[in-house]
């Protein structure tokens, strides 16, 4: 087929799937390539083509697809999530709850991929039944982390960023109120005495502001680190 006709045909195929969130490129054992809006057959090689460059919250959509095998659906409340026969309790601190989900999503996908590879391998020998429960559990871990991020990311991430900025501003504001003199032999000067009085008067507020800054800096930098990872695509998509 001439290259121009192939490109035109490919464009028409992709346009026909514009209503779907995902398009799959499937290559069968004979090397034939087919584009479709549903996952490929298990014996076919699959490449998932994402219509959007960014998904929810700017994260790459490959993190938020549903695992192909497992049929996991997470139902969550303020106390935790239920998926199939599994119950997952939430930590009370919302910041920790979100950051754990963002970090665990990466690990849960790696675990799912490992179990999926083992499942497909033994399935060919007709011995996959023993691994199905483990694969379902792995899919649930992915689904719970996805749902937790979906529920809490916007609210909690905004709170972490705002609190970090407010705590940093509070420290800077107190430091500006009590600016240490930059002069030689200043120990007994009026400016030095005024600085010492200001420092002592604001010591409690300064310590409290620094404590909050350290606390929210930890949350803030963890959020930025995990968010950066989720902006990039997963190495595998199943």
């Amino acid at each position: 087929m001439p290259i121009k006709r192939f490109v035109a045909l490919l464009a028409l195929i992709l346009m026909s799937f514009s209503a779907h969130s995902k398009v799959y490129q499937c290559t069968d054992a004979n090397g034939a390539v087919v584009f479709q809006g549903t996952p490929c057959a298990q014996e076919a090689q699959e490449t998932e083509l994402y219509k959007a460059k960014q998904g929810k919250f700017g994260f790459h959509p490959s993190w938020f697809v549903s695992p192909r095998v497992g049929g996991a659906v997470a139902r969550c409340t303020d106390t935790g999530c239920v998926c199939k026969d599994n119950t997952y309790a939430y930590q009370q601190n919302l910041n920790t709850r979100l950051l754990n989900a963002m970090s665990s999503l990466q690990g849960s996908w790696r675990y799912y991929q490992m179990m999926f590879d083992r499942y497909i391998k033994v399935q060919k020998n007709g011995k996959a039944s023993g691994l199905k429960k483990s694969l379902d559990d792995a899919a649930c871990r992915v689904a719970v982390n996805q749902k937790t991020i979906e529920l809490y990311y916007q609210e909690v991430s905004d709170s972490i960023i705002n609190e970090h900025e407010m705590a940093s501003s509070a420290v800077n504001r107190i430091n500006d109120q009590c600016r240490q003199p930059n002069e030689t032999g200043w120990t007994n000067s009026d400016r030095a005495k005024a600085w010492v009085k200001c420092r002592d008067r604001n010591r409690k507020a300064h310590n409290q502001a620094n404590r909050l800054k350290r606390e929210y800096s930890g949350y803030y930098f963890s959020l930025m680190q995990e968010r950066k990872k989720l902006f990039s695509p997963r190495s595998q998509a199943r």
Side-chain angles (χ1 to χ4, degrees):
M1 178 185 296
I3 186 64
K4 291 184 178 180
R5 289 182 59 191
F6 174 79
V7 172
L9 178 60
L10 175 59
L12 288 173
I13 293 172
L14 293 178
M15 288 175 63
S16 69
F17 290 115
S18 60
H20 297 277
S21 60
K22 296 183 287 293
V23 176
Y24 298 85
Q25 173 184 308
C26 305
T27 306
D28 65 18
N30 298 321
V33 177
V34 177
F35 296 90
Q36 59 190 55
T38 56
C40 306
Q42 289 186 352
E43 64 271 16
Q45 180 181 353
E46 177 180 283
T47 301
E48 191 167 321
L49 306 178
Y50 296 96
K51 184 182 69 172
K53 293 183 178 180
Q54 291 186 330
K56 188 180 289 292
F57 310 124
F59 298 144
H60 195 275
S62 58
W63 293 104
F64 291 89
V65 296
S66 298
R68 281 181 57 192
V69 179
V73 176
R75 295 176 175 83
C76 302
T77 65
D78 290 339
T79 58
C81 298
V82 175
C83 180
K84 294 185 180 292
D85 297 329
N86 303 315
T87 301
Y88 305 84
Y90 274 150
Q91 293 197 22
Q92 189 171 3
N93 185 293
L94 293 182
N95 296 337
T96 304
R97 185 181 302 182
L98 171 66
L99 294 174
N100 282 350
M102 294 176 70
S103 175
S104 297
L105 179 60
Q106 301 157 46
S108 61
W109 265 119
R110 285 193 295 269
Y111 180 70
Y112 173 82
Q113 289 168 357
M114 180 185 71
M115 296 306 302
F116 179 88
D117 290 340
R118 291 176 60 187
Y119 176 79
I120 294 300
K121 184 177 180 179
V122 300
Q123 189 182 44
K124 296 178 181 179
N125 301 324
K127 301 178 180 179
S129 58
L131 284 176
K132 186 59 169 62
K133 178 63 166 62
S134 297
L135 186 61
D136 288 348
D137 291 346
C140 275
R141 295 187 189 185
V142 172
V144 167
N145 288 318
Q146 290 173 333
K147 189 65 175 180
T148 301
I149 294 171
E150 179 182 339
L151 290 174
Y152 293 102
Y153 179 80
Q154 195 67 66
E155 175 187 355
V156 177
S157 64
D158 286 348
S159 174
I160 289 175
I161 293 171
N162 290 337
E163 292 291 347
H164 174 260
E165 292 177 350
M166 290 174 60
S168 298
S169 297
V171 171
N172 294 336
R173 186 166 56 251
I174 294 173
N175 288 338
D176 288 340
Q177 290 176 359
C178 306
R179 190 171 295 278
Q180 182 174 346
N182 183 19
E183 57 187 52
T184 303
W186 58 270
T187 307
N188 294 316
S189 69
D190 291 340
R191 292 178 61 189
K193 293 176 181 178
W195 172 73
V196 171
K197 289 181 179 179
C198 180
R199 182 196 62 185
D200 292 343
R201 184 173 62 250
N202 291 286
R203 187 184 302 277
K204 183 177 180 180
H206 188 271
N207 290 343
Q208 183 178 7
N210 265 323
R211 180 182 61 79
L212 289 174
K213 181 181 178 181
R214 287 193 298 270
E215 177 183 352
Y216 280 99
S217 290
Y219 290 135
Y220 176 81
F221 289 114
S222 294
L223 175 67
M224 295 298 108
Q225 183 180 36
E226 299 303 331
R227 189 168 71 168
K228 182 178 179 180
K229 295 175 184 176
L230 296 182
F231 283 156
S232 301
R234 288 192 296 118
S235 58
Q236 301 181 50
R238 291 197 175 99

